[in-house]
Amino acid sequence: MAETENECVTRLREAVRQIDEVLVPWGFQFQPGECGSASAGDFANGYYVRGPIRIRLIWRDMHGLGCVLYEFEEERRQGYLHDRTTWGIGHPGYMRAVGRGEDCALIERGISSVARHGNDVVAAFLRDLRDHAAATLATENAEFAALVHSGYRRYQVL
């Protein structure tokens, strides 16, 4: 693992320790993902999961916290058919969907997440979770699935 890959893993772990304070009490658990090098530089990623809901995070060496992605997964088995549909939406779209797009603390700039007022990016994400996402994320809630349906759809036959 390259030195900057190690740094990405370390920085993501530091962010996860802070984010755990909000998401773990809501029933989410963090699952580490991959680390490596891609066109945007070295990275480490992972996601929080609770049942069919995922909150994907990525830390890039040159860009810091990447775009946060919320997903809802529906899996069906019918006879010999098995398929999965994943619905997803980025943080700005999710904030718009809950009516807080203009005053959320975390915004995207290119492939990075940044704090709207130049504050700490993780603190901005935590503020949005506590202040704007709690109503649809803190408990099992059909409203969350409806919100992410306004984003993208990925379909797989398994």
Side-chain angles (χ1 to χ4, degrees), residues 29 35 39 41 43 51 57 60 78 83 86 88 95 113 117 119 123 131-133 139 142-143 145 148 155 157:
Q29 294 298 315
C35 64
S39 60
F43 70 91
L57 304 175
R60 293 185 175 95
Q78 186 174 351
D83 64 8
T86 304
M95 290 293 104
S113 292
H117 301 294
N119 301 328
D131 295 352
H132 308 315
T139 61
E143 187 179 358
V148 296
Y155 178 76
V157 175

Side-chain angles (χ1 to χ4, degrees), residues 15-45:
V16 165
R17 274 194 288 278
Q18 294 175 62
I19 298 165
D20 275 354
E21 294 178 21
V22 173
L23 292 180
V24 169
W26 293 354
F28 287 91
Q29 294 298 315
F30 186 76
Q31 301 292 315
E34 300 174 320
C35 64
S37 187
S39 60
D42 291 338
F43 70 91
N45 66 24

Side-chain angles (χ1 to χ4, degrees), residues 52-70:
I53 298 172
R54 283 190 173 71
I55 303 170
R56 295 191 178 275
L57 304 175
I58 187 167
W59 197 277
R60 293 185 175 95
D61 66 333
M62 309 239 340
H63 303 282
L65 183 65
C67 301
V68 176
L69 183 63
Y70 302 85

Side-chain angles (χ1 to χ4, degrees), residues 115-153:
R116 184 181 297 272
H117 301 294
N119 301 328
D120 176 72
V121 68
V122 175
F125 179 52
L126 291 170
R127 177 182 170 260
D128 286 350
L129 287 174
R130 287 185 187 112
D131 295 352
H132 308 315
T136 56
L137 267 180
T139 61
E140 295 293 328
N141 187 318
E143 187 179 358
F144 177 81
L147 292 172
V148 296
H149 276 73
S150 66
Y152 72 84
R153 176 180 180 251

